[in-house]
Amino acid sequence: MQCHSSGAARPTSQLRIDNGRGPKSYYFTAVVRLKNAQGVQIGSSTLARTLVKARSAKTVDVTGTLDSGVASGEWTDCAVASATRS
């Protein structure tokens, strides 16, 4: 699972979930950390259960929330904090 900044004003991350080698379909969930230019966490977002079919990949937009007092323009990057497959 990879996370990319969407470049949008709102803290929207793009998660690419690759199940290309998976022999069956799985549900994925994840927690994403939103970071500023210095690499400090300034917010988070959560990916709800998302189905990715066997031998395929999926890109999902996830909108998060920034910590109190943080301007939307401050976030620049994201990282997957945890992910589960079921």
Side-chain angles (χ1 to χ4, degrees):
M1 186 176 296
Q2 297 176 335
C3 182
H4 301 282
S5 167
S6 68
R10 291 174 41 210
T12 303
S13 307
Q14 291 181 335
L15 290 178
R16 178 159 172 78
I17 306 167
D18 188 352
N19 192 27
R21 296 184 189 173
K24 60 181 182 175
S25 300
Y26 292 103
Y27 283 98
F28 290 83
T29 59
V31 175
V32 176
R33 290 187 184 129
L34 304 175
K35 300 179 178 183
N36 63 14
Q38 293 76 33
V40 177
Q41 180 177 338
I42 58 172
S44 63
S45 52
T46 303
L47 172 69
R49 281 183 53 161
T50 300
L51 180 65
V52 181
K53 295 185 178 182
R55 296 176 188 78
S56 67
K58 188 175 198 176
T59 300
V60 183
D61 288 344
V62 181
T63 301
T65 54
L66 297 174
D67 295 344
S68 177
V70 176
S72 61
E74 290 184 46
W75 88 282
T76 59
D77 197 12
C78 58
V80 177
S82 65
T84 58
R85 178 181 81 176
S86 57

